[in-house]
Amino acid sequence: MKQSVGAKTLATPTPVWLVGTYDEAGVANIMTAAWGGICCSQPPCVAVSLRKATYSHAAIVARKAFTVSIPSQAQVAQADYVGTVSGRDGDKFAACGWTPVKSDLVDAPYVDEVPLVVECRLLHIHELGLHTQFVGEIVDVKADETVIGAKGYPDITRVRPMIWDTAHMGYYGLGEFLGKAWQVGTTVTPEGMK
């Protein structure tokens, strides 16, 4: 029997994303965000939700752009750090030993040292309550050559992204391969499992 735990943000897991922006003075900033994901296939879009109190919120509104840098598991300490301090108080890129790279497609920076980057043009803003959801149209995805796999796409086992456990406030790594999409389900029929 299932037990109710209440109306909470427990749709776990969520991603560990580094949202890149420029502030009004043109200073590069990043923050860790977990409230995000792919939200449309055509046009390709991601959504990320931020509190208005964050330094990045006003920057996205002003610049109409943001990036999502997807760190590897080896970068967990830096990812945690940039989610615990504000860009108002200092240079988070410098503190992490990271290099901000100016996107040539959108008005936002990304982290050079992370394996995978998504560059986004702001498409929609939705006020949800405590958070504002920013929908960004993906204008490009950049990947380190070392993480490129079959078909020229990023290989998740090489990227080694992290996930966030909202219930226990912890970071986890990628688990084992479970099955190929649109194939593993063929073992289920209207009559039951084969």
Side-chain angles (χ1 to χ4, degrees):
M1 175 178 263
K2 291 184 176 44
Q3 176 181 331
S4 173
V5 295
K8 302 185 183 310
T9 55
L10 299 178
T12 190
T14 60
V16 177
W17 283 356
L18 308 176
V19 176
T21 58
Y22 285 118
D23 69 12
E24 60 187 21
V27 176
N29 185 48
I30 46 174
M31 70 166 285
T32 306
W35 293 175
I38 296 292
C39 64
C40 188
S41 300
Q42 199 53 253
C45 294
V46 297
V48 63
S49 296
L50 307 179
R51 290 178 299 110
K52 288 180 183 156
T54 65
Y55 197 51
S56 300
H57 185 286
I60 293 174
V61 172
R63 301 284 181 147
K64 309 254 183 287
F66 62 94
T67 63
V68 173
S69 296
I70 301 172
S72 73
Q73 294 169 27
Q75 297 164 321
V76 64
Q78 294 99 322
D80 186 61
Y81 172 79
V82 301
T84 60
V85 298
S86 174
R88 289 179 188 94
D89 302 326
D91 184 342
K92 293 192 264 184
F93 276 95
C96 291
W98 283 344
T99 309
V101 176
K102 180 173 177 38
S103 167
D104 54 352
L105 300 172
V106 299
D107 192 12
Y110 59 85
V111 182
D112 192 36
E113 289 78 9
V114 303
L116 190 60
V117 174
V118 181
E119 297 166 293
C120 301
R121 176 182 62 85
L122 184 62
L123 199 58
H124 298 290
I125 299 174
H126 302 288
E127 297 298 335
L128 302 174
L130 181 62
H131 286 72
T132 302
Q133 183 182 61
F134 297 104
V135 176
E137 181 177 359
I138 299 170
V139 296
D140 196 21
V141 175
K142 291 180 170 52
D144 287 349
E145 291 178 2
T146 58
V147 301
I148 298 294
K151 300 182 185 178
Y153 294 141
D155 179 331
I156 195 169
T157 64
R158 295 179 187 175
V159 174
R160 299 184 69 235
M162 293 175 274
I163 55 176
W164 170 252
D165 173 9
T166 60
H168 302 99
M169 300 181 70
Y171 301 100
Y172 288 85
L174 187 65
E176 65 185 85
F177 177 75
L178 301 177
K180 184 80 173 136
W182 296 286
Q183 290 179 6
V184 69
T186 61
T187 62
V188 180
T189 66
E191 297 79 36
M193 296 286 290
K194 290 182 186 175

